Amino acid sequence: MAATLAEGRIEAVLLPEFADEDHLLFLAERCPNLHYFSLPSTCMTYDLFCKAIGELHSLKGMAVDESLINYDVLFHVHQCCPDFVELKVSALYVDEEMASVICNSLPQLKKLEIPSSDMPATAIIKFLDCLEELEYLDISGYETSAISSTVLEKASRLKVFLWNSKFELGEFVDCSNCGEHNINPGEPCKCMMEHKVMDWLAGATQAS
């Protein structure tokens, strides 16, 4: 287990993979001022998890498995933790329905991280349209090309939008590494161009 201290108090805890809701409840009872926890377990009991959340009124964020993305669970977080603004989810696939659950239960989210997840454009747009206070969205590492000019336009209001794709997306080829000020829907981004040049040079060298 890893923990960070602030003024002698434990404010953030990264629990190991074997930790379950009992460990979280134990932690919550002894560290009621906890601001953030990461709980990678995929097998959780809703009742005990919610009981632990009920002890953490100062909680501002958490990282959890997709098994906890349930409206009743997340709405309980919203009710018990008035300062809760940050969510990280480990999920293989996020559809529009799951996106709606997150948006409806945690409408005040400012930071949302769902890396390495297969996610359609409809889910991304749901986050961008419904989470009005969202400032930071990380969907990097996804395996399908769901980034469109519409998504980029809606995401332009964010302070940080992290995404990356290995796919040519038809109307443009781009990635978040170049930053929002370098996004041009009509042209490839700088790093993609450099990558293509290096591929061309490598091919030319092999041919010679």
Coordinates of all heavy atoms in Angstrom, one line a residue, residues 129-203:
D129 N -20.9 16.6 -23.4 CA -22.1 17.4 -23.4 C -22.8 17.5 -22.0 O -23.3 18.5 -21.6 CB -23.2 16.7 -24.3 CG -22.9 17.0 -25.8 OD1 -22.1 17.9 -26.0 OD2 -23.5 16.3 -26.6
C130 N -22.6 16.4 -21.2 CA -23.4 16.4 -19.9 C -22.6 16.8 -18.7 O -23.1 17.2 -17.7 CB -23.9 15.0 -19.7 SG -25.1 14.4 -21.0
L131 N -21.2 16.6 -18.7 CA -20.4 17.0 -17.6 C -20.0 18.5 -17.8 O -18.9 18.8 -18.3 CB -19.2 16.1 -17.4 CG -19.6 14.7 -17.1 CD1 -18.3 13.8 -17.1 CD2 -20.3 14.6 -15.7
E132 N -20.8 19.4 -17.4 CA -20.6 20.8 -17.7 C -19.4 21.4 -17.0 O -18.8 22.4 -17.4 CB -21.9 21.6 -17.3 CG -23.1 21.2 -18.2 CD -24.3 22.0 -17.8 OE1 -24.2 22.9 -16.9 OE2 -25.3 21.9 -18.5
E133 N -19.0 20.8 -15.8 CA -17.9 21.4 -15.1 C -16.5 20.6 -15.4 O -15.5 20.9 -14.8 CB -18.1 21.3 -13.6 CG -19.3 22.1 -13.2 CD -19.5 22.1 -11.7 OE1 -18.5 22.1 -10.9 OE2 -20.7 22.1 -11.2
L134 N -16.6 19.7 -16.4 CA -15.4 18.9 -16.7 C -14.3 19.8 -17.3 O -14.5 20.6 -18.1 CB -15.8 17.8 -17.7 CG -14.8 16.7 -18.0 CD1 -14.6 15.9 -16.8 CD2 -15.2 15.9 -19.2
E135 N -13.1 19.6 -16.7 CA -11.9 20.3 -17.2 C -10.8 19.4 -17.8 O -10.0 19.9 -18.5 CB -11.3 21.1 -16.0 CG -12.3 22.1 -15.4 CD -11.7 22.8 -14.2 OE1 -10.6 22.4 -13.7 OE2 -12.3 23.8 -13.6
Y136 N -10.9 18.2 -17.4 CA -9.8 17.3 -17.7 C -10.4 15.9 -18.1 O -11.1 15.3 -17.3 CB -8.9 17.1 -16.5 CG -7.6 16.2 -16.7 CD1 -6.4 16.8 -16.6 CD2 -7.8 14.8 -16.8 CE1 -5.2 16.0 -16.8 CE2 -6.6 14.0 -16.9 CZ -5.4 14.6 -16.9 OH -4.3 13.8 -17.0
L137 N -10.1 15.5 -19.3 CA -10.6 14.2 -19.8 C -9.4 13.4 -20.4 O -8.8 13.9 -21.4 CB -11.7 14.4 -20.9 CG -12.3 13.1 -21.5 CD1 -12.9 12.2 -20.4 CD2 -13.3 13.5 -22.5
D138 N -9.2 12.2 -19.9 CA -8.1 11.4 -20.4 C -8.7 10.1 -20.9 O -9.2 9.3 -20.1 CB -7.1 11.1 -19.3 CG -6.0 10.2 -19.8 OD1 -6.0 9.8 -20.9 OD2 -5.1 9.9 -18.9
I139 N -8.7 9.9 -22.2 CA -9.2 8.6 -22.8 C -8.1 8.1 -23.7 O -8.3 7.4 -24.7 CB -10.5 8.8 -23.7 CG1 -10.3 10.0 -24.7 CG2 -11.6 9.1 -22.8 CD1 -11.4 10.1 -25.7
S140 N -6.8 8.3 -23.3 CA -5.7 7.9 -24.1 C -5.6 6.4 -24.1 O -6.0 5.7 -23.1 CB -4.4 8.5 -23.5 OG -4.2 8.2 -22.2
G141 N -5.0 5.8 -25.1 CA -4.8 4.4 -25.2 C -5.9 3.6 -25.7 O -5.9 2.4 -25.7
Y142 N -6.9 4.3 -26.3 CA -8.1 3.5 -26.8 C -7.7 2.8 -28.1 O -6.7 3.2 -28.7 CB -9.3 4.4 -27.0 CG -9.1 5.5 -28.1 CD1 -9.4 5.2 -29.4 CD2 -8.5 6.7 -27.7 CE1 -9.1 6.2 -30.4 CE2 -8.3 7.7 -28.7 CZ -8.6 7.4 -30.0 OH -8.4 8.3 -31.0
E143 N -8.4 1.8 -28.4 CA -8.1 0.9 -29.5 C -8.9 1.1 -30.8 O -8.6 0.5 -31.8 CB -8.2 -0.5 -29.1 CG -7.2 -0.9 -28.0 CD -7.4 -2.4 -27.5 OE1 -8.3 -3.0 -28.1 OE2 -6.6 -2.8 -26.7
T144 N -9.9 2.0 -30.7 CA -10.7 2.3 -31.9 C -10.7 3.8 -32.2 O -10.5 4.6 -31.3 CB -12.1 1.8 -31.8 OG1 -12.7 2.4 -30.6 CG2 -12.2 0.3 -31.6
S145 N -10.8 4.2 -33.4 CA -10.7 5.6 -33.8 C -12.1 6.2 -33.6 O -12.9 6.2 -34.5 CB -10.3 5.7 -35.2 OG -11.1 5.0 -36.1
A146 N -12.3 6.8 -32.4 CA -13.6 7.5 -32.2 C -13.5 9.0 -32.1 O -14.5 9.7 -31.9 CB -14.2 7.0 -30.8
I147 N -12.3 9.5 -32.4 CA -12.1 10.9 -32.3 C -12.5 11.5 -33.7 O -11.9 11.2 -34.7 CB -10.6 11.3 -32.0 CG1 -10.3 10.7 -30.7 CG2 -10.5 12.8 -32.0 CD1 -11.1 11.2 -29.5
S148 N -13.4 12.4 -33.7 CA -13.9 13.1 -34.9 C -13.7 14.6 -34.7 O -13.4 15.1 -33.6 CB -15.3 12.7 -35.2 OG -16.2 13.3 -34.2
S149 N -14.0 15.3 -35.8 CA -13.9 16.8 -35.7 C -14.9 17.3 -34.7 O -14.7 18.3 -34.0 CB -14.1 17.4 -37.1 OG -15.3 17.0 -37.7
T150 N -16.1 16.6 -34.6 CA -17.1 17.0 -33.7 C -16.6 16.8 -32.2 O -16.9 17.7 -31.4 CB -18.4 16.1 -33.9 OG1 -18.9 16.3 -35.2 CG2 -19.5 16.5 -32.9
V151 N -16.0 15.7 -32.0 CA -15.5 15.5 -30.6 C -14.4 16.5 -30.3 O -14.4 17.1 -29.2 CB -14.8 14.1 -30.5 CG1 -14.0 13.9 -29.2 CG2 -15.9 13.0 -30.6
L152 N -13.5 16.8 -31.2 CA -12.5 17.8 -30.9 C -13.1 19.2 -30.7 O -12.6 19.9 -29.8 CB -11.5 17.9 -32.1 CG -10.6 16.6 -32.2 CD1 -9.7 16.8 -33.5 CD2 -9.7 16.5 -31.0
E153 N -14.1 19.5 -31.5 CA -14.7 20.8 -31.3 C -15.4 20.9 -29.9 O -15.2 21.9 -29.2 CB -15.8 21.0 -32.4 CG -16.5 22.4 -32.3 CD -17.5 22.6 -33.3 OE1 -17.7 21.7 -34.2 OE2 -18.2 23.6 -33.3
K154 N -16.1 19.9 -29.5 CA -16.7 19.9 -28.2 C -15.7 19.9 -27.0 O -15.9 20.4 -26.0 CB -17.7 18.7 -28.0 CG -18.9 18.8 -28.9 CD -19.8 17.6 -28.7 CE -21.1 17.7 -29.5 NZ -22.0 18.7 -29.0
A155 N -14.5 19.2 -27.3 CA -13.5 19.1 -26.3 C -12.6 20.3 -26.2 O -11.8 20.5 -25.2 CB -12.6 17.9 -26.6
S156 N -12.8 21.3 -27.1 CA -12.0 22.5 -27.1 C -12.2 23.3 -25.8 O -11.3 24.1 -25.5 CB -12.2 23.3 -28.3 OG -13.6 23.8 -28.3
R157 N -13.3 23.1 -25.1 CA -13.5 23.9 -23.9 C -12.7 23.4 -22.7 O -12.6 24.1 -21.7 CB -15.0 23.9 -23.5 CG -15.5 22.5 -23.1 CD -17.0 22.5 -22.7 NE -17.5 21.2 -22.3 CZ -17.4 20.7 -21.1 NH1 -16.8 21.4 -20.1 NH2 -17.9 19.5 -20.8
L158 N -12.2 22.2 -22.8 CA -11.5 21.6 -21.7 C -10.1 22.2 -21.5 O -9.5 22.6 -22.5 CB -11.3 20.1 -21.9 CG -12.6 19.2 -22.1 CD1 -12.3 17.8 -22.4 CD2 -13.5 19.4 -20.9
K159 N -9.6 22.1 -20.3 CA -8.2 22.6 -20.1 C -7.2 21.5 -20.6 O -6.1 21.8 -21.1 CB -8.0 22.8 -18.6 CG -8.7 24.0 -18.1 CD -8.4 24.3 -16.6 CE -9.2 25.5 -16.0 NZ -8.9 25.7 -14.6
V160 N -7.6 20.2 -20.4 CA -6.8 19.1 -20.8 C -7.6 18.0 -21.5 O -8.6 17.6 -20.9 CB -6.0 18.5 -19.6 CG1 -5.2 17.3 -20.1 CG2 -5.1 19.5 -18.9
F161 N -7.2 17.6 -22.7 CA -7.9 16.5 -23.3 C -6.8 15.6 -23.9 O -6.1 15.9 -24.8 CB -8.8 17.0 -24.5 CG -9.5 16.0 -25.2 CD1 -10.1 14.9 -24.6 CD2 -9.7 16.0 -26.6 CE1 -10.8 13.9 -25.2 CE2 -10.3 15.0 -27.3 CZ -10.9 14.0 -26.6
L162 N -6.7 14.4 -23.3 CA -5.7 13.5 -23.7 C -6.3 12.3 -24.4 O -7.2 11.7 -23.9 CB -4.9 12.9 -22.4 CG -4.2 14.0 -21.5 CD1 -3.6 13.3 -20.3 CD2 -3.2 14.7 -22.3
W163 N -5.8 12.1 -25.6 CA -6.2 11.0 -26.4 C -5.1 10.7 -27.4 O -4.2 11.5 -27.7 CB -7.5 11.3 -27.2 CG -7.4 12.5 -28.1 CD1 -7.5 13.8 -27.7 CD2 -7.1 12.5 -29.5 NE1 -7.3 14.6 -28.8 CE2 -7.0 13.8 -29.9 CE3 -6.8 11.5 -30.4 CZ2 -6.8 14.2 -31.2 CZ3 -6.6 11.8 -31.7 CH2 -6.5 13.1 -32.1
N164 N -5.1 9.5 -28.0 CA -4.2 9.1 -29.0 C -4.7 8.0 -29.8 O -5.5 7.2 -29.4 CB -2.8 8.7 -28.4 CG -2.9 7.5 -27.5 OD1 -3.3 7.7 -26.3 ND2 -2.6 6.4 -27.9
S165 N -4.3 8.0 -31.1 CA -4.9 7.0 -32.0 C -3.8 6.6 -33.0 O -3.0 7.4 -33.4 CB -6.1 7.5 -32.7 OG -6.5 6.5 -33.7
K166 N -3.8 5.3 -33.4 CA -2.8 4.9 -34.4 C -3.5 4.8 -35.8 O -3.0 4.3 -36.7 CB -2.3 3.5 -34.1 CG -1.5 3.4 -32.8 CD -1.1 2.0 -32.5 CE -0.3 1.9 -31.2 NZ 0.2 0.6 -30.9
F167 N -4.8 5.3 -35.8 CA -5.6 5.1 -37.0 C -5.7 6.4 -37.8 O -5.7 7.5 -37.2 CB -7.0 4.7 -36.6 CG -7.1 3.4 -35.9 CD1 -6.9 3.3 -34.6 CD2 -7.3 2.2 -36.7 CE1 -7.0 2.0 -33.9 CE2 -7.4 1.0 -36.0 CZ -7.2 0.9 -34.7
E168 N -5.8 6.3 -39.1 CA -6.1 7.5 -39.9 C -7.6 7.6 -39.9 O -8.3 6.6 -40.2 CB -5.6 7.3 -41.3 CG -4.0 7.2 -41.4 CD -3.5 7.3 -42.8 OE1 -4.3 7.6 -43.7 OE2 -2.3 7.1 -43.0
L169 N -8.1 8.8 -39.5 CA -9.5 8.9 -39.2 C -10.3 9.5 -40.4 O -11.3 10.1 -40.2 CB -9.6 9.8 -38.0 CG -8.8 9.4 -36.8 CD1 -9.0 10.3 -35.6 CD2 -9.1 8.0 -36.4
G170 N -9.8 9.4 -41.6 CA -10.6 9.9 -42.8 C -10.3 11.3 -43.0 O -9.5 11.7 -43.9
E171 N -11.0 12.2 -42.3 CA -10.8 13.6 -42.5 C -9.5 14.2 -41.9 O -9.1 15.3 -42.3 CB -12.0 14.4 -42.0 CG -12.3 14.1 -40.5 CD -13.6 14.8 -40.1 OE1 -13.8 16.0 -40.3 OE2 -14.4 14.1 -39.5
F172 N -8.9 13.5 -41.0 CA -7.6 14.0 -40.5 C -6.9 12.9 -39.7 O -7.5 11.8 -39.4 CB -7.8 15.2 -39.5 CG -8.6 14.8 -38.2 CD1 -7.9 14.4 -37.1 CD2 -10.0 14.9 -38.2 CE1 -8.6 14.0 -36.0 CE2 -10.7 14.5 -37.1 CZ -10.0 14.1 -36.0
V173 N -5.6 13.1 -39.5 CA -4.8 12.2 -38.7 C -4.2 13.0 -37.6 O -3.6 14.0 -37.9 CB -3.7 11.6 -39.6 CG1 -2.9 10.6 -38.7 CG2 -4.3 10.8 -40.8
D174 N -4.4 12.7 -36.4 CA -4.0 13.6 -35.3 C -3.8 12.8 -34.0 O -4.1 11.7 -33.9 CB -5.1 14.6 -35.1 CG -4.6 16.0 -34.7 OD1 -3.5 16.0 -34.1 OD2 -5.2 17.0 -35.1
C175 N -3.2 13.5 -33.1 CA -3.1 12.9 -31.7 C -3.0 14.1 -30.7 O -2.8 15.2 -31.1 CB -1.9 12.0 -31.6 SG -0.3 12.9 -31.5
S176 N -3.2 13.8 -29.4 CA -3.2 14.8 -28.4 C -1.8 15.3 -28.0 O -1.7 16.3 -27.4 CB -4.0 14.3 -27.2 OG -3.3 13.2 -26.6
N177 N -0.8 14.6 -28.5 CA 0.6 15.0 -28.1 C 0.9 16.4 -28.6 O 1.8 17.1 -28.1 CB 1.6 14.0 -28.7 CG 1.4 12.6 -28.0 OD1 1.1 12.6 -26.8 ND2 1.7 11.6 -28.7
C178 N 0.3 16.8 -29.7 CA 0.6 18.1 -30.3 C -0.1 19.2 -29.6 O 0.3 20.4 -29.9 CB 0.3 18.1 -31.8 SG 1.4 17.0 -32.8
G179 N -1.0 19.0 -28.8 CA -1.7 20.1 -28.1 C -2.9 20.6 -28.9 O -2.9 20.6 -30.1
E180 N -3.8 21.2 -28.2 CA -5.0 21.7 -28.8 C -4.8 22.8 -29.8 O -5.5 23.0 -30.8 CB -6.1 22.1 -27.8 CG -5.6 23.3 -26.9 CD -6.6 23.7 -25.9 OE1 -7.7 23.2 -26.0 OE2 -6.4 24.6 -25.1
H181 N -3.7 23.6 -29.6 CA -3.5 24.7 -30.5 C -2.9 24.3 -31.8 O -2.8 25.1 -32.8 CB -2.5 25.7 -29.8 CG -3.0 26.3 -28.5 ND1 -4.2 27.1 -28.5 CD2 -2.6 26.2 -27.3 CE1 -4.4 27.4 -27.2 NE2 -3.5 26.9 -26.5
N182 N -2.5 23.1 -31.9 CA -1.9 22.6 -33.2 C -2.8 21.7 -33.9 O -2.5 21.1 -34.9 CB -0.6 21.8 -32.9 CG 0.5 22.7 -32.4 OD1 0.8 23.7 -33.0 ND2 1.1 22.3 -31.2
I183 N -4.1 21.5 -33.4 CA -5.0 20.6 -34.1 C -5.6 21.3 -35.3 O -6.1 22.4 -35.3 CB -6.2 20.3 -33.1 CG1 -5.6 19.3 -32.1 CG2 -7.3 19.6 -33.9 CD1 -6.7 19.0 -31.0
N184 N -5.4 20.7 -36.5 CA -6.0 21.2 -37.7 C -6.7 20.0 -38.4 O -6.1 19.1 -38.9 CB -4.8 21.7 -38.6 CG -5.4 22.3 -39.9 OD1 -6.6 22.1 -40.3 ND2 -4.6 23.1 -40.6
P185 N -8.0 20.1 -38.3 CA -8.8 18.9 -38.8 C -8.5 18.6 -40.3 O -8.9 17.5 -40.8 CB -10.3 19.4 -38.7 CG -10.2 20.4 -37.5 CD -8.9 21.1 -37.7
G186 N -7.9 19.5 -41.0 CA -7.6 19.3 -42.4 C -6.3 18.7 -42.7 O -6.0 18.3 -43.9
E187 N -5.4 18.6 -41.7 CA -4.0 18.2 -42.0 C -3.6 17.2 -40.9 O -4.1 17.3 -39.8 CB -3.1 19.4 -42.0 CG -3.4 20.4 -43.1 CD -2.5 21.6 -43.1 OE1 -1.6 21.6 -42.2 OE2 -2.7 22.5 -43.9
P188 N -2.6 16.4 -41.2 CA -2.0 15.6 -40.1 C -1.3 16.4 -39.1 O -0.8 17.5 -39.4 CB -1.0 14.7 -40.9 CG -1.4 14.7 -42.3 CD -2.0 16.1 -42.5
C189 N -1.2 15.9 -37.9 CA -0.4 16.7 -36.9 C 1.1 16.5 -37.1 O 1.5 15.7 -37.8 CB -0.8 16.2 -35.5 SG -0.4 14.5 -35.2
K190 N 1.8 17.3 -36.4 CA 3.3 17.4 -36.5 C 3.9 16.0 -36.2 O 4.8 15.5 -37.0 CB 3.9 18.5 -35.6 CG 5.4 18.6 -35.8 CD 5.9 19.7 -34.9 CE 7.4 19.8 -35.0 NZ 8.0 20.8 -34.0
C191 N 3.6 15.4 -35.1 CA 4.2 14.2 -34.7 C 3.8 13.0 -35.7 O 4.6 12.1 -36.0 CB 4.0 13.8 -33.3 SG 2.3 13.4 -32.9
M192 N 2.6 13.1 -36.2 CA 2.2 12.1 -37.2 C 3.0 12.2 -38.5 O 3.5 11.3 -39.1 CB 0.7 12.2 -37.5 CG 0.2 11.1 -38.5 SD 0.5 9.4 -38.0 CE -0.7 9.3 -36.6
M193 N 3.2 13.5 -38.9 CA 4.0 13.7 -40.1 C 5.4 13.3 -39.9 O 6.0 12.6 -40.8 CB 4.0 15.2 -40.4 CG 2.7 15.7 -41.0 SD 2.4 15.1 -42.6 CE 3.7 15.9 -43.6
E194 N 6.0 13.5 -38.7 CA 7.4 13.1 -38.4 C 7.5 11.6 -38.4 O 8.4 11.0 -38.9 CB 7.9 13.6 -37.1 CG 8.1 15.2 -37.1 CD 8.4 15.7 -35.8 OE1 8.3 14.9 -34.8 OE2 8.8 16.9 -35.7
H195 N 6.4 10.9 -37.9 CA 6.4 9.5 -37.9 C 6.4 8.9 -39.3 O 7.1 7.9 -39.6 CB 5.2 9.0 -37.1 CG 5.0 7.5 -37.1 ND1 5.9 6.7 -36.3 CD2 4.1 6.7 -37.7 CE1 5.5 5.4 -36.5 NE2 4.4 5.4 -37.3
K196 N 5.5 9.5 -40.2 CA 5.5 9.1 -41.6 C 6.8 9.3 -42.3 O 7.2 8.4 -43.1 CB 4.3 9.8 -42.3 CG 2.9 9.3 -41.8 CD 1.9 10.1 -42.6 CE 0.5 9.5 -42.3 NZ 0.3 8.1 -42.6
V197 N 7.5 10.4 -42.0 CA 8.7 10.7 -42.6 C 9.8 9.6 -42.2 O 10.5 9.1 -43.1 CB 9.3 12.1 -42.3 CG1 10.7 12.2 -42.7 CG2 8.4 13.1 -43.0
M198 N 9.8 9.3 -40.9 CA 10.7 8.3 -40.5 C 10.4 6.9 -41.1 O 11.3 6.2 -41.4 CB 10.7 8.2 -38.9 CG 11.2 9.5 -38.2 SD 12.9 9.9 -38.7 CE 13.8 8.5 -38.0
D199 N 9.2 6.6 -41.2 CA 8.8 5.3 -41.9 C 9.3 5.3 -43.3 O 9.8 4.3 -43.8 CB 7.3 5.1 -41.8 CG 6.8 4.7 -40.5 OD1 7.6 4.3 -39.6 OD2 5.5 4.7 -40.2
W200 N 9.1 6.4 -44.0 CA 9.5 6.5 -45.4 C 11.1 6.4 -45.5 O 11.6 5.7 -46.4 CB 9.1 7.9 -46.0 CG 9.5 8.1 -47.4 CD1 8.9 7.6 -48.5 CD2 10.7 8.8 -47.9 NE1 9.6 7.9 -49.7 CE2 10.7 8.7 -49.3 CE3 11.7 9.5 -47.3 CZ2 11.6 9.2 -50.1 CZ3 12.7 10.1 -48.0 CH2 12.6 9.9 -49.4
L201 N 11.8 7.1 -44.6 CA 13.2 7.0 -44.6 C 13.7 5.5 -44.3 O 14.6 5.0 -45.0 CB 13.8 7.9 -43.6 CG 13.8 9.4 -43.9 CD1 14.3 10.2 -42.7 CD2 14.6 9.7 -45.2
A202 N 13.0 4.9 -43.4 CA 13.4 3.5 -43.1 C 13.2 2.6 -44.3 O 14.0 1.7 -44.6 CB 12.6 3.0 -41.9
G203 N 12.0 2.8 -45.0 CA 11.7 2.0 -46.2 C 12.7 2.3 -47.3 O 13.2 1.3 -48.0

